[in-house]
Amino acid sequence: MGKERFFGGNGPLAEAVLPSELKSAAGADQLPRSSLNLGWDQPMQHDAHAYLESDISSLVLSPSFNAPTGNDGVVVRELIGRLGSICKSRDITPTSRCQVARTSCSPPMLNLTVTDDQQQGVPGQGNEMAASQLAPFAGDPGLGETAARFCCFGLRNHVGIGAQLGIAEAGKLSRVSSSQSLMAANNGKGVTKSDSTMEMSRFGGRISCSSSPGASSVSDSLAATGAESNARKRKAAPKGKGKISPLSSPNMNPPNEENSGTKKCKLREDQKNTAKPTSEQNSNGSRKLGEDAKPLEPLKDYIHVRARRGQATDSHSLAERVRREKISERMKFLQNLVPGCRKVTGKAVMLDEIINYVQSLQRQVEFLSMKLATLNSQLEFDMETLLPKDMHHAHVPFPHQLYELGMASSAFFFFLLCQQPAQTDSNLLEMSLRWPSSLQVPHLDGFTDATSQFVNFGEDDLRQYVVQMGFGESQATEPSSQLLYAE
Amino acid sequence: MQLTSSFKLVFLKQMLLGFQLSAVSSNNMSFHERKNAIKFSADAAIAFARGRTRWSQGLIRNLSKNEKNKDVLKGLLGREYDNLSKPCCNSWKIPRSKKILRRCLRMSSTRKMAGRAQHDVGKSILAKTLAKKRIQVLKKLVPGGESMDGFSLLDETLDYAMSLKAQVDGMRCVLRTSEALNFKAPTDSTMQVKQPSFVGE
């Protein structure tokens, strides 16, 4: 489960890499490292969990591949070292969690080293190193869980290699200890931890039963479920984000995690009973996706309405319900639009507010047009000079005198409007609104200051800048340069 | 959702073009004429930028009622002038059918009144009349709103409100820039070129 699930966060490349590596233990070091880099290069879009997991799983892979050949204790120490470096690079915070991680990790570490000792007689130095390297382990709450998980992975791989009984026992021990530590942490933390304990216990259960069937089949099924659940997780998260504003997306994520968590639980229990083919897992996944999609359905669906439980099913009431839902949805949107309307309920009052808002906006337009009218009488309105580049819009031939107006004013407006392509997030007007306000404050003084600034920002730079930026979609650079060179 | 920067940009461009076409900055206009010309440009620009919606069509229809403006409008909109050529026949049919509808509703409501208890009738009728009144007001506000029923009216109101907001923002921006321009010597070109340096801040 875990490896492939972890790698699901990394991307399809990693998943493709993984099975080949499972088969051939050669060249292990390079590919996990590349996937490790992948994990680091990708931005942390979803919660930190997925990427931490991916990094840790990449770590898991390398020692697991080395395991058949190399020294286990050394490998484990290497793992922990890398884990610590990951945590440092991720730059995650408080030390209380680090303690949790330490407590959760160290018992498994102990068990690992114990088993190593049993097998190969490696000294207990690895333990101390592990503890010291776990100290910079300022990790997520999930990190402790994932760390424990990978330890169990390491153990699981040992199943294929070493004595099954001893390892199984160690696996159980690690599970118990890690779950205990996680439970202890849980009391302090909260919702996310409960997910992790669920997963841990499930995972532990899997470990204990996996020792019997054999590593490869378990890994295959786990791989499928892992990819499945990770895909589900990813699908649920973007869906949630797409539908709901960014503010509420953190609220969405815990429910998504819980959903996927419960799903994993179901899947693993199923797998415990029988060796399920991937098709069944896919059906489970699709079922869960359907459940996830249900709360979002009313938002998309206008025509096709399912009769809810306890409601009349005749066509009239259904149509009524559709109508009401449509209206309520639009009212909600209008509530978001009209400022200060959140607490208002009831159609009539809402309509009142909307009417007031539209009326006020219209009045504002009137007022602004009046103000512009007063201004224009004083000013020759240089901004018009920027428009000649737009001639293909207007069918009226422009007098060439317009080109003779100041190059600078057109340039500045160009600049103003040319900012737009460079800024994807902030919109043009916000930027332009910001700009004049900075100008207005120091009217004459600002210009003297600006001279020094302008020394660097020469005409050539401006021209190049404008030309490079382009302007909107339909930008022809030649007219702009013509305009800039106009006298 | 629709208040993208490209939308605002298009609006700005169109509005300034409209200013130019209607020769707003020339001195031979009275204050009111100028103001109307500006408002006209702004409205046309917002309708153009929005594209084909019911309210934009209604707006252009209202604007083109004035013959003098029609040429300017055509020049401004260019190809988009065919916005007007959308189904206008709806507006002719609906008022007539509305009378019939009202008659039917009145009859059905009286029948329902006879069947229901007194307080229910009072509440429902009150709520309905309140909502109806407001919807009527809204129909007058939103351009082209008379020919729309409840749902689409709400939709169009939403759209229209957002476009109005963009319009207000754009006009405010133009106002500020022109005010800023006012304070410096318009003939000094070097002074003008300095302004871009502020933009980065």
Side-chain angles (χ1 to χ4, degrees), chain A residues 331 335 341-351 353:
Chain A
M331 297 289 271
Q335 266 189 340
C341 248
R342 294 293 169 92
K343 296 173 188 172
V344 172
T345 53
K347 256 207 270 184
V349 190
M350 203 41 233
L351 281 174
E353 290 295 320

Coordinates of all heavy atoms in Angstrom, one line a residue, chain A residues 331 335 341-351 353:
Chain A
M331 N -29.4 33.2 -5.0 CA -29.5 34.2 -3.9 C -28.2 34.1 -3.2 O -27.6 35.1 -2.7 CB -30.6 33.9 -3.0 CG -32.0 34.1 -3.7 SD -32.3 35.8 -4.0 CE -33.2 36.2 -2.5
Q335 N -25.7 37.1 -2.5 CA -25.3 37.4 -1.2 C -23.8 37.7 -1.1 O -23.3 38.6 -0.4 CB -25.7 36.3 -0.2 CG -27.0 36.6 0.5 CD -27.3 35.6 1.6 OE1 -26.7 34.5 1.6 NE2 -28.2 35.9 2.4
C341 N -24.2 41.3 3.1 CA -25.5 40.7 3.0 C -25.5 39.3 3.5 O -26.4 38.5 3.2 CB -25.9 40.7 1.5 SG -27.3 41.7 1.2
R342 N -24.5 38.9 4.3 CA -24.4 37.5 4.7 C -25.6 37.1 5.6 O -26.1 36.1 5.5 CB -23.1 37.3 5.4 CG -21.9 37.5 4.5 CD -21.9 36.4 3.5 NE -20.9 36.6 2.4 CZ -19.7 36.2 2.5 NH1 -19.3 35.5 3.5 NH2 -18.8 36.4 1.5
K343 N -25.9 38.0 6.5 CA -26.8 37.6 7.5 C -28.3 37.7 7.1 O -29.2 37.3 7.8 CB -26.6 38.4 8.8 CG -25.3 38.2 9.4 CD -25.0 39.2 10.5 CE -23.6 39.1 11.0 NZ -23.3 40.2 11.9
V344 N -28.5 38.3 5.9 CA -29.9 38.5 5.5 C -30.5 37.3 5.0 O -29.9 36.6 4.2 CB -29.9 39.6 4.4 CG1 -31.2 39.8 3.8 CG2 -29.4 40.9 5.0
T345 N -31.6 37.0 5.5 CA -32.4 35.8 5.0 C -33.7 36.3 4.4 O -34.2 37.3 4.7 CB -32.6 34.8 6.1 OG1 -33.2 35.5 7.2 CG2 -31.3 34.2 6.6
G346 N -34.3 35.4 3.6 CA -35.6 35.8 3.1 C -35.4 36.5 1.7 O -34.5 37.3 1.5
K347 N -36.3 36.1 0.9 CA -36.2 36.6 -0.5 C -36.4 38.1 -0.6 O -35.6 38.8 -1.3 CB -37.2 35.9 -1.4 CG -36.6 34.8 -2.3 CD -37.5 34.5 -3.5 CE -38.5 33.5 -3.2 NZ -39.3 33.2 -4.4
A348 N -37.4 38.6 0.0 CA -37.8 40.0 -0.2 C -36.7 40.9 0.3 O -36.3 41.8 -0.4 CB -39.1 40.3 0.6
V349 N -36.1 40.6 1.5 CA -35.1 41.5 2.0 C -33.9 41.4 1.1 O -33.2 42.4 0.9 CB -34.8 41.0 3.5 CG1 -33.9 42.1 4.1 CG2 -36.0 40.9 4.3
M350 N -33.6 40.2 0.7 CA -32.4 40.0 -0.2 C -32.6 40.8 -1.5 O -31.7 41.5 -2.0 CB -32.3 38.5 -0.5 CG -31.0 38.0 -0.9 SD -29.7 38.6 0.0 CE -28.7 39.2 -1.4
L351 N -33.8 40.7 -2.0 CA -34.1 41.5 -3.3 C -33.9 43.0 -3.0 O -33.4 43.7 -3.9 CB -35.5 41.2 -3.8 CG -35.6 39.9 -4.5 CD1 -37.1 39.6 -4.8 CD2 -34.8 39.9 -5.8
E353 N -31.9 44.4 -0.9 CA -30.5 44.7 -0.9 C -29.9 44.8 -2.3 O -29.1 45.6 -2.6 CB -29.8 43.7 0.0 CG -30.1 43.7 1.4 CD -29.6 45.0 2.1 OE1 -28.5 45.5 1.7 OE2 -30.3 45.6 2.9

